[in-house]
Amino acid sequence: MQSVQKTLLSQYACAPGINALITAWNQAFDPVDLISEWYDHIWNIATAQGYGLDVWGRIVGVQRVLTISSENFVGFLEAADLTEQGFNTAPWYNGTATSSNVRLSDEGFRQLIYAKAMANITDGSVLSLNAILMALFAGQGDAWVEDHGTMSMSYVFNFIPTDVQISIIQSSGVLPRPAGVAVSYAIRGHA
């Protein structure tokens, strides 16, 4: 209510009890604070938390639980996996990798939601894929797509992604993969 006095009959306008009751009722049911809180915690994806991000996840089609592989193996430059390491830094692959299902934190889930939402609207061009990478990994280092021209491409990172980011990149299936194009992943030039 904007004006409590407009809701009272004139004979009760000076009654302190009814005025206090209507004022308290007005404060208790004023939707301005509720709408602002709802916008911040549910609707605005940049500030959404908990349940709000779960709603966004259902809208774009991703789940908060993600399989994360935290094991690294010896690999080679042409390996198509971000979990390969150089010699003397990781064990040989023995045929099985340890992975676990992890419930993503709000920040990790927000990054997954952004990735899926951008993938839902991309045209699959190198330009738009690079725009997705720049938005997802802003401030972490360079990330880009290399088109090899032979129906193959690489997602290249100039920084070391976290385990959650590696799972978003490789396991979640949200980064666009143009039809018929082989995709590999690489980390280059990191310090």
Side-chain angles (χ1 to χ4, degrees):
M1 280 182 260
Q2 298 298 325
S3 175
V4 174
Q5 295 303 318
K6 289 183 179 180
T7 63
L8 291 175
L9 294 173
S10 60
Q11 66 191 39
Y12 301 112
C14 293
I18 192 78
N19 277 309
L21 185 64
I22 291 178
T23 300
W25 182 276
N26 190 31
Q27 290 172 353
F29 291 103
D30 185 13
V32 172
D33 291 335
L34 181 62
I35 290 170
S36 177
E37 187 175 326
W38 176 83
Y39 177 79
D40 290 340
H41 295 283
I42 307 279
W43 188 252
N44 183 357
I45 193 169
T47 60
Q49 300 171 3
Y51 175 76
L53 287 173
D54 293 339
V55 170
W56 276 107
R58 284 191 297 274
I59 289 170
V60 300
V62 292
Q63 296 181 12
R64 190 180 281 266
V65 177
L66 190 63
T67 301
I68 295 180
S69 176
S70 58
E71 213 169 328
N72 293 325
F73 302 105
V74 172
F76 301 96
L77 180 63
E78 63 275 352
D81 196 330
L82 293 179
T83 59
E84 275 87 23
Q85 301 290 319
F87 288 103
N88 296 325
T89 60
W92 289 98
Y93 180 68
N94 65 2
T96 59
T98 304
S99 64
S100 58
N101 290 336
V102 174
R103 181 173 163 74
L104 295 175
S105 67
D106 282 351
E107 287 310 309
F109 193 42
R110 187 182 331 275
Q111 193 169 27
L112 178 63
I113 290 169
Y114 276 136
K116 178 63 173 170
M118 288 185 269
N120 285 346
I121 60 172
T122 186
D123 63 2
S125 69
V126 171
L127 183 64
S128 65
L129 296 179
N130 282 335
I132 290 172
L133 293 175
M134 286 189 306
L136 286 178
F137 304 109
Q140 289 186 262
D142 295 330
W144 65 92
V145 172
E146 287 181 356
D147 181 1
H148 303 294
T150 58
M151 295 301 288
S152 65
M153 62 179 250
S154 297
Y155 283 102
V156 181
F157 302 91
N158 198 28
F159 61 93
I160 299 175
T162 65
D163 288 344
V164 170
Q165 290 172 333
I166 288 173
S167 294
I168 289 171
I169 293 164
Q170 289 185 195
S171 305
S172 69
V174 298
L175 284 184
R177 175 185 221 110
V181 176
V183 176
S184 61
Y185 307 92
I187 299 174
R188 294 196 194 131
H190 60 86

